[in-house]
Amino acid sequence: MSTDPTESTPLPILLLNGPNLNTLGLRQPEIYGSDTLADVVDLAERTASELGYGLRAAQTNHEGEMIDWIHEARGQVSGIVINPAGWTHTSVALADALVIPEVPIMEVHISNVHKREAFRHHSYVSPIAAGIIVGYGVRGYEYAIRRLVELISD
């Protein structure tokens, strides 16, 4: 990334986490590990910063709030990394909203959803995502940000 002050700073990356991810580190550590949401955000901020990007991170258990954030992101972010959690398998509304910002989307899941219950095998987000990272634990967020920046830079 150039340090030329006449060049503009890239828009930040938006990191969104869906329902129950605020309980990371407590909820089913045998599936999700012991890292907390704060650990995830810290990792994502470090990774984005290393690549020359800022990061805006948010988590909610309220679908309408998530959709509002996505609407507000239009023209404000370079791309979105999202772990839609349970909404992955249920929310057409979330998938519809994710096309509105017109930026690359990376879908992340901490666990390998394909090794879990059958209902977790379908994602409404995957068809619109530029990439999907599953089963790498919280490191998946780092991988998603790195790939997103590659896509943005192309």
Side-chain angles (χ1 to χ4, degrees):
M1 166 144 286
S2 172
T3 56
D4 182 345
T6 62
E7 292 187 22
S8 63
T9 303
L11 293 172
I13 293 168
L14 180 59
L15 171 64
L16 296 174
N17 281 285
N20 301 311
L21 289 168
N22 57 308
T23 65
L24 282 177
L26 301 173
R27 176 181 170 233
Q28 297 176 288
E30 69 280 5
I31 295 173
Y32 301 106
S34 59
D35 290 308
T36 66
L37 184 59
D39 295 329
V40 167
V41 171
D42 182 57
L43 173 63
E45 286 175 339
R46 285 193 323 264
T47 304
S49 178
E50 171 192 323
L51 299 170
Y53 284 79
L55 184 91
R56 291 181 12 208
Q59 184 279 330
T60 186
N61 295 317
H62 305 281
E63 187 175 13
E65 185 172 39
M66 176 77 75
I67 290 169
D68 287 343
W69 292 339
I70 293 166
H71 290 176
E72 293 163 4
R74 186 178 173 95
Q76 303 300 309
V77 300
S78 294
I80 298 172
V81 173
I82 185 168
N83 183 338
W87 295 324
T88 303
H89 326 290
T90 64
S91 183
V92 173
L94 179 64
D96 285 349
L98 283 166
V99 301
I100 293 168
E102 297 180 336
V103 295
I105 308 293
M106 290 295 296
E107 179 181 355
V108 176
H109 297 284
I110 295 168
S111 69
N112 182 347
V113 293
H114 302 289
K115 288 180 71 173
R116 298 183 63 196
E117 304 93 336
F119 76 87
R120 295 185 194 276
H121 300 177
H122 174 74
S123 169
Y124 285 101
V125 175
S126 293
I128 60 168
I132 306 153
I133 309 287
V134 299
Y136 286 92
V138 298
R139 291 290 303 275
Y141 289 90
E142 174 188 350
Y143 303 147
I145 290 168
R146 290 186 184 284
R147 179 62 182 139
L148 183 66
V149 169
E150 288 174 357
L151 293 169
I152 294 165
S153 300
D154 284 346

